[in-house]
Amino acid sequence: MRATIARIARIKARQSNRRADFTHKLTTDLAENYGFVGIEDLRVTSMTSSAKGTTDRRGRNIRQKAGLNRGILDNCPGERRRQLSYTCEIYGSDLRPVPPFHTSRTCAKCGRADPESRPGCGRSFTCVSCGHEDDADHNASVEIEARARRTGGSVTNSTRRRPTAPSPVS
């Protein structure tokens, strides 16, 4: 029994180390190669709150919510933001958090936000106003970038940074 628990603990530790390594490499690459990094200003604690409810009023879809919470926390958005904040500072990039309000429902082409443009939980986005079709995640990322550009006052098309300070020695 103890050997099984030890093997499981090693597997979980390896998963955790791989996740941390990926996050470090991703945040360093973004901060080192781009002048600004736009991210959604997510409230992870609120997003992953329990669905159990109270003793008087039971929650609904508790198992589904627990699975969704595991998926959100497994992606570790809070840790990515924490690492981006200090890594961007080291490499001279600008971290620009943008409000997440309707980023997945706003058309990146015409700017209209409509829940009908993204029916259900599908991966496709079709604007009901202008007919623009795209992958839902790609459309949202373009909208997040546009909001980040407006936040920083940049109107250029490139996010590639010009080195202002020497990169830290590895």
Side-chain angles (χ1 to χ4, degrees):
M1 182 71 168
R2 288 184 187 193
T4 303
I5 293 172
R7 281 199 302 273
I8 292 171
R10 274 199 296 273
I11 290 169
K12 292 292 184 184
R14 182 178 289 160
Q15 286 175 340
S16 177
N17 289 339
R18 285 181 177 169
R19 188 179 302 119
D21 182 58
F22 174 77
T23 302
H24 280 292
K25 287 177 179 175
L26 174 70
T27 57
T28 300
D29 180 59
L30 290 171
E32 187 176 26
N33 294 311
Y34 297 96
F36 73 88
V37 180
I39 61 170
E40 284 183 296
D41 191 12
L42 299 174
R43 304 288 187 251
V44 179
T45 305
S46 299
M47 290 170 57
T48 57
S49 63
S50 175
K52 289 182 182 176
T54 64
T55 53
D56 297 337
R57 204 168 137 204
R58 263 186 59 112
R60 296 183 340 208
N61 301 326
I62 296 170
R63 285 188 182 162
Q64 291 89 344
K65 177 65 174 159
L68 176 65
N69 290 350
R70 271 193 300 277
I72 291 170
L73 294 173
D74 188 46
N75 196 16
C76 51
E79 179 62 14
R80 284 197 183 146
R81 179 176 178 154
R82 185 189 73 78
Q83 288 185 20
L84 273 172
S85 65
Y86 76 80
T87 309
C88 283
E89 193 173 307
I90 290 171
Y91 287 98
S93 295
D94 190 18
L95 180 62
R96 299 180 187 172
V98 298
F101 188 69
H102 290 314
T103 52
S104 63
R105 296 178 176 182
T106 303
C107 178
K109 191 171 182 182
C110 72
R112 179 167 182 212
D114 192 331
E116 298 296 318
S117 294
R118 190 165 173 215
C121 295
R123 302 297 348 138
S124 64
F125 180 91
T126 305
C127 181
V128 295
S129 179
C130 71
H132 172 69
E133 293 182 15
D134 199 355
D135 176 72
D137 289 334
H138 181 263
N139 182 74
S141 70
V142 172
E143 177 62 22
I144 291 166
E145 180 188 4
R147 290 181 185 188
R149 285 185 185 283
R150 289 191 299 266
T151 299
S154 173
V155 293
T156 61
N157 288 330
S158 174
T159 60
R160 181 94 34 208
R161 74 179 182 99
R162 291 191 176 96
T164 55
S167 297
V169 178
S170 301

